[in-house]
Amino acid sequence: MKSLDELRQLREKAQETIRLREQAGGIRIIVGMGTCGIAAGAREVMLAIVDELQKKNLDDVIVTQTGCAGLCEKEPLVEVLRPGEPKITYGYMTADKARAMITSHVVNGQIIGEYVVAKEDDVAE
Amino acid sequence: MRELALHILDIIQNSLRAGAKLIEVEIVEDTRLDTLMVLIRDDGSGMDEVLLERVIDPFTTTRTTRKVGLGIPLMKMAAESAAGDFTIDSRLGEGTVVKATFVHSHIDRMPLGNMADTISTVIAGNPTVDLVYRHRINDDVSGLDTRLLKAEVGEEALTVPSVIEWVKIYLKEGSSYLMEV
C-alpha cells in the first residue's frame, strides 16, 4: 500500500532533481497523444518511458505530451530533444522500443536509426 | 480503441487543447441500476452553438495537421453500441461537459480498462493542469485530486518519474486519501 509518508519522502528527492535539472538543461521526451497516437498505443509508450526513467534513476529527463503531429500512420510517435542536437522523431513505437531508446539514445547518445521517422535539421536549444 | 479508459484519455486531450486549467473526470458504476456513467468536465475555452452542433461529425476538427477528428464520434459510438447515450454541453468561454452512459452489463459495453494508466499519463504530460478523478462503484469511492497531491509534493515534482510511479500505484490500489470524498 502506497502511503503519504512515502510520498513525502519522494518530495525531497524530487526537489533535488529539479535543482539539478535547472543547472544541467536536461533531455526532453515528447509523446504524441492525439486520437491517432492513443489508438496506436501511446499511453503504454508514455508509461514505459516514465517507468524506465525511474528504474534507471534518470529523474532529470522531462517527459511531456503533445497532440497529433500529422504523421498519424506512424504513431505512436516519440520525439527526443537532447540539448545542442537535432530533434529526433521515432515512429511505430512500442513499450519495448521505448525502453531500448532510453538505454541507447538518452543514456548513451546513440540514435536508433531503424526507429527514426523524421530528423529535424535545426538544433534544439 | 478497446478500453473506455482510452476514449476518456482522448476526450481529456480535447480539454487540454481547449486550455483547461481544471479537468474533472467522474466514473459512476451502479450495478443495481445496471449503469455506467462517464463524465468529463473542463473549464477550457468551450464552444459556441455552431461548433457544438458540428462536433459530433467526424469531419469536424479544430486541428490543422489533419482534416478529421475522431475522438468524439468514437466515444459516441461506444456508448450507443451499449444501449447508452452521449451528450456534450458547452459554453463559449466557460467550458465543456462530455457525458456518456452505458448499460453496465450490455454485451457490447467496452471494458472500462486501465484508468490508473490513463490518469497518470495525463498528470505526467500536463503537470500544470489540475485534475480531479473520482471513481464510484456502488458505495465505494476512490480517486485523486492533483491539488491535494501538489500540496504534498509541489507542482514541479509531477514531472519527476518516481513521483508519477507513486501516483500510478496509488491509483491502481484504488485509494482515496488524496481526494475530497
Side-chain angles (χ1 to χ4, degrees):
Chain A
M1 199 74 179
K2 287 286 166 191
S3 68
L4 266 184
D5 281 346
E6 211 178 321
L7 182 64
R8 285 169 186 152
Q9 279 163 22
L10 285 175
R11 178 191 182 117
E12 286 175 28
K13 197 178 155 231
Q15 282 168 344
E16 180 61 27
T17 301
I18 290 155
R19 269 194 296 279
L20 286 173
R21 251 184 212 168
E22 279 163 2
Q23 291 163 9
I27 299 170
R28 285 161 55 87
I29 300 177
I30 304 164
V31 181
M33 204 61 72
T35 305
C36 43
I38 293 168
R43 186 185 67 182
E44 281 61 38
V45 169
M46 174 97 169
L47 290 174
I49 290 170
V50 171
D51 180 58
E52 196 65 21
L53 291 173
Q54 191 234 348
K55 280 186 180 145
K56 290 194 154 59
N57 266 318
L58 298 167
D59 267 350
D60 57 325
V61 177
I62 299 174
V63 188
T64 57
Q65 61 153 72
T66 183
C68 169
L71 285 170
C72 308
E73 69 283 7
K74 293 178 177 148
E75 294 278 0
L77 295 174
V78 176
E79 298 173 349
V80 178
L81 289 109
R82 289 177 63 100
E85 292 179 25
K87 177 172 84 181
I88 300 296
T89 306
Y90 292 106
Y92 309 106
M93 290 302 270
T94 62
D96 287 344
K97 285 180 176 177
R99 289 178 196 277
M101 178 275 289
I102 302 276
T103 307
S104 179
H105 192 171
V106 174
V107 178
N108 296 319
Q110 298 294 313
I111 296 164
I112 306 184
E114 65 175 300
Y115 302 166
V116 175
V117 293
K119 190 173 175 180
E120 198 180 52
D121 292 315
D122 305 334
V123 172
E125 345 116 39
Chain B
M1 292 190 212
R2 291 177 293 272
E3 298 177 15
L4 291 177
L6 289 175
H7 286 286
I8 294 167
L9 177 58
D10 197 7
I11 300 297
I12 294 172
Q13 302 305 312
N14 293 343
S15 300
L16 292 165
R17 278 178 60 89
K21 290 283 143 227
L22 176 67
I23 303 171
E24 293 169 74
V25 178
E26 193 169 353
I27 296 168
V28 180
E29 297 186 60
D30 190 322
T31 54
R32 289 156 297 197
L33 295 173
D34 197 21
T35 55
L36 186 148
M37 191 271 304
V38 173
L39 187 138
I40 298 130
R41 177 187 291 119
D42 71 54
D43 63 352
S45 56
M47 292 171 279
D48 60 27
E49 282 168 31
V50 180
L51 182 59
L52 186 59
E53 267 180 41
R54 291 173 54 224
V55 84
I56 300 279
D57 174 2
F59 295 102
T60 295
T61 179
T62 56
R63 96 184 73 243
T64 51
T65 52
R66 58 175 151 78
K67 290 196 173 111
V68 291
L70 287 172
I72 289 169
L74 283 173
M75 187 157 192
K76 181 170 188 268
M77 195 174 72
E80 288 171 353
S81 331
D85 202 12
F86 182 88
T87 57
I88 306 183
D89 273 322
S90 189
R91 276 190 194 184
L92 199 59
E94 289 181 27
T96 302
V97 183
V98 171
K99 186 177 167 186
T101 58
F102 306 79
V103 172
H104 201 289
S105 65
H106 196 285
I107 187 124
D108 289 323
R109 202 262 301 165
M110 213 177 263
L112 182 58
N114 197 332
M115 279 307 294
D117 280 6
T118 283
I119 298 297
S120 35
T121 297
V122 175
I123 295 172
N126 310 278
T128 58
V129 174
D130 282 318
L131 186 72
V132 179
Y133 166 58
R134 230 177 267 114
H135 185 179
R136 181 184 292 277
I137 306 175
N138 297 327
D139 296 327
D140 290 328
V141 191
S142 62
L144 174 70
D145 184 334
T146 57
R147 292 170 296 189
L148 298 183
L149 178 64
K150 288 173 186 178
E152 292 292 340
V153 290
E155 182 172 291
E156 277 186 308
L158 301 192
T159 62
V160 174
S162 51
V163 175
I164 293 301
E165 285 292 322
W166 187 95
V167 169
K168 197 171 91 184
I169 295 166
Y170 165 93
L171 290 164
K172 281 207 165 89
E173 288 173 344
S175 300
S176 59
Y177 53 83
L178 278 178
M179 68 180 291
E180 281 166 33
V181 183

